[in-house]
Amino acid sequence: AQRTAVGLVGNDGRVDGSRIEALAGVAQVIHVTQPYKQVSREWRPENTIVTIAPGVSVGGNDVIVIAGPCSVESEEQIVTAARQVRAAGATCLRGGAFKPRSSPYSFQGLGLRGLELLALARKETGLAIVTEAMDEEGAELVAEYGDCIQIGARNMLDLTAIPIVQGLSHLPIIADPSHGTGIRDKVIPMARAAVAAGAHGILVEVHPNPERALSDGAQSLYPEQFAQLVRELRSIAGAIGRRLAPAPERTTATAHV
Ligand code: MN
């Protein structure tokens, strides 16, 4: 708040700081030694709080819960899921419109229609939308409809990474216990552990009817399991001096839906 940091990126070797240090108004030259400069705490010591939608921020004291189905399948499915996760205490709705699948025979997602349905679910519930982009072109489109772009990183959940990365980076950390375990019964304990370890948020798959899910049904929580998980996370967050983020305000248009 009291000083302005100016960053130099793109240099391969060490830059001679003495000429810069001699300029008027320069208090200090700090050499950032890590290859990951802009995300490192040397660049910015204090936590970065990212506001993804009005009233929805991640990276501070509040723990955000992002929940919803793996894929957007239909209007009824996504709106039902949105209402269920909101009622249980989620802050954001997740759901994929473009699905990175290894088999061409697997469900590939609804594409643009999926994004439109996510926007409808936001209108119905007030939840912020987190959805995945698979490439640069898709990112532009996803940014038009979603509040937060998810970039896939999958099949790993090492909880020691949470405190380690928090020491190195000022950015918020969100844990994905669903893709990290792939098995419904393992998602719940890992979600609890992620919040206990200090994650700023969790991303969890919940489906109104997991047996009929077109993707990742085996790791999707039943709505009542998710509601129980949120109650537990509220206690865990409270025990470490944090709290679950409140759901965003509903717009007046949807207040009585
Ligand atoms: Mn999934």
Side-chain angles (χ1 to χ4, degrees):
Q2 269 111 47
R3 57 183 197 171
T4 301
V6 176
L8 296 185
V9 291
N11 52 300
D12 293 328
R14 194 175 167 90
V15 170
D16 178 8
S18 59
R19 283 167 56 204
I20 301 165
E21 211 145 35
L23 297 174
V26 175
Q28 190 184 14
V29 173
I30 300 169
H31 293 275
V32 177
T33 51
Q34 284 100 351
Y36 45 92
K37 286 187 183 163
Q38 291 179 70
V39 304
S40 82
R41 284 205 187 268
E42 286 183 39
W43 185 279
R44 182 185 158 93
E46 65 273 23
N47 286 347
T48 288
I49 297 176
V50 179
T51 298
I52 60 178
V56 182
S57 296
V58 58
N61 198 48
D62 287 2
V63 175
I64 67 164
V65 177
I66 305 162
C70 181
S71 311
V72 180
E73 299 168 6
S74 67
E75 177 177 333
E76 190 196 353
Q77 176 248 16
I78 195 66
V79 172
T80 302
R83 289 195 175 123
Q84 287 170 333
V85 301
R86 177 174 174 120
T91 317
C92 306
L93 176 68
R94 59 145 295 144
F98 301 95
K99 300 309 297 179
R101 310 304 296 282
S102 32
S103 164
Y105 302 106
S106 299
F107 180 57
Q108 304 291 315
L110 296 181
L112 176 59
R113 176 73 187 138
L115 294 175
E116 290 168 353
L117 292 177
L118 285 167
L120 175 69
R122 173 176 49 209
K123 190 160 163 270
E124 291 290 321
T125 61
L127 292 174
I129 301 299
V130 176
T131 189
E132 184 164 359
M134 284 165 58
D135 49 37
E136 279 178 59
E137 193 187 341
E140 298 277 336
L141 195 59
V142 165
E144 271 181 49
Y145 290 86
D147 296 296
C148 180
I149 303 176
Q150 183 188 342
I151 308 285
R154 38 202 104 247
N155 302 332
M156 212 196 103
L157 184 59
D158 176 358
L159 293 176
T160 56
I162 294 173
I164 290 171
V165 176
Q166 276 173 344
L168 298 171
S169 176
H170 54 85
L171 293 181
I173 296 181
I174 294 172
D176 177 353
S178 301
H179 295 92
T181 64
I183 307 163
R184 183 178 301 125
D185 292 345
K186 309 284 182 289
V187 171
I188 293 170
M190 294 308 278
R192 294 183 195 126
V195 171
H200 296 102
I202 62 155
L203 181 72
V204 60
E205 288 188 341
V206 181
H207 194 287
N209 192 343
E211 292 87 1
R212 296 180 59 190
L214 296 181
S215 58
D216 285 349
Q219 71 193 32
S220 297
L221 300 185
Y222 288 89
E224 56 275 18
Q225 279 182 307
F226 174 68
Q228 172 67 23
L229 173 63
V230 174
R231 286 193 285 274
E232 294 167 358
L233 296 181
R234 193 163 275 130
S235 302
I236 293 166
I240 57 172
R242 304 179 73 175
R243 64 164 196 167
L244 288 197
E249 303 256 328
R250 285 168 191 267
T251 60
T252 46
T254 58
H256 303 291
V257 167

